Amino acid sequence: MYLGIELVLALSAAPVRTVFGFEIEPQFNEPYLSTSLQDFWGRRWNLTVTRTLRPTVYNPVRYVVSSYVGNSCATSIATLATFIVSGLMHEVIYYYLARAPPTWEVTWFFVLHGVCVSFEVVVKKIILRRGWRLHRAVSGLFTVAFLAVTGNWLFFPQLLRNGVDRKGIEEYEVIMDFVKDKLRAITFV
């Protein structure tokens, strides 16, 4: 999925760069090198969404809740709220792509990841104070494995059941044929 999205974004960025003369900010920052879920979601995956949800959901929720429950709990609540909003946004996207009623698997994927990121932040604070740290290779392997298992369990099934993968490939082929025709027309002019 990552490679497909990266390819589509690169193909979209090329005309923007050519026509308007400016660079589009990268959407990803080598997510396969993530060493934790916090690193994956906060610094490496879908950076536009991260830059959007942090000031619109995370920061306001954290600010409002911190006066009631303290900073530590407020961080966890704000993290979970952000992941819930992301899950609901993905449900809308899935509905648009599949035209099938929501199954809520995607929202549960994001709730699970929100809980795990919150737990990870708390555990890291305790463990780092004691001077203990996992090697990057080990933590990276755990992170990628967790993403793969939970993605195959909760994120992708709804798309596959409704044939969105097949439809996407068919649409991609149409777009590529269009691009090839345009490139041939430019070459012969």
Side-chain angles (χ1 to χ4, degrees), residues 17-29:
R17 206 175 18 251
T18 305
V19 173
F20 299 109
F22 58 84
E23 289 290 323
I24 295 177
E25 290 186 31
Q27 190 65 17
F28 303 99
N29 179 19

Side-chain angles (χ1 to χ4, degrees), residues 26 34 38 40 47 63 73 83 88 98 104 109 115 132 141 148-149:
S34 298
Q38 183 183 20
F40 178 82
L47 300 175
Y63 177 76
C73 285
F83 275 88
L88 295 172
W104 306 108
F109 170 85
V115 168
W132 191 75
L141 184 63
V149 169

Side-chain angles (χ1 to χ4, degrees), residues 5-170:
I5 294 171
E6 188 70 27
L7 182 62
V8 167
L9 291 173
L11 289 172
S12 303
V16 168
R17 206 175 18 251
T18 305
V19 173
F20 299 109
F22 58 84
E23 289 290 323
I24 295 177
E25 290 186 31
Q27 190 65 17
F28 303 99
N29 179 19
E30 300 176 323
Y32 45 84
L33 296 178
S34 298
T35 57
S36 68
L37 289 175
Q38 183 183 20
D39 181 36
F40 178 82
W41 291 113
R43 295 180 207 89
R44 296 186 180 272
W45 185 257
N46 209 341
L47 300 175
T48 300
V49 171
T50 300
R51 284 189 294 268
T52 303
L53 290 179
R54 188 172 287 134
T56 59
V57 178
Y58 178 83
N59 290 342
V61 169
R62 186 168 182 248
Y63 177 76
V64 168
V65 173
S66 65
S67 60
Y68 297 106
V69 295
N71 283 334
S72 223
C73 285
T75 299
S76 296
I77 292 169
T79 299
L80 190 56
T82 304
F83 275 88
I84 290 170
V85 168
S86 185
L88 295 172
M89 288 170 38
H90 279 80
E91 290 289 352
V92 170
I93 293 167
Y94 274 33
Y95 177 76
Y96 174 76
L97 293 173
R99 296 289 192 237
T103 61
W104 306 108
E105 291 164 301
V106 159
T107 299
W108 283 113
F109 170 85
F110 282 98
V111 168
L112 173 64
H113 279 253
V115 168
C116 289
V117 168
S118 297
F119 181 72
E120 178 184 290
V121 168
V122 170
V123 168
K124 275 199 238 175
K125 285 180 184 175
I126 294 167
I127 288 176
L128 290 176
R129 266 189 255 145
R130 295 182 180 170
W132 191 75
R133 182 180 219 122
L134 279 177
H135 190 275
R136 291 179 58 85
V138 174
S139 63
L141 184 63
F142 282 150
T143 301
V144 171
F146 183 78
L147 288 162
V149 169
T150 58
N152 285 323
W153 173 39
L154 293 168
F155 192 81
F156 296 116
Q158 185 178 356
L159 292 174
L160 298 174
R161 267 194 312 273
N162 295 302
V164 173
D165 56 329
R166 195 179 61 256
K167 293 174 193 173
I169 291 169
E170 291 167 3

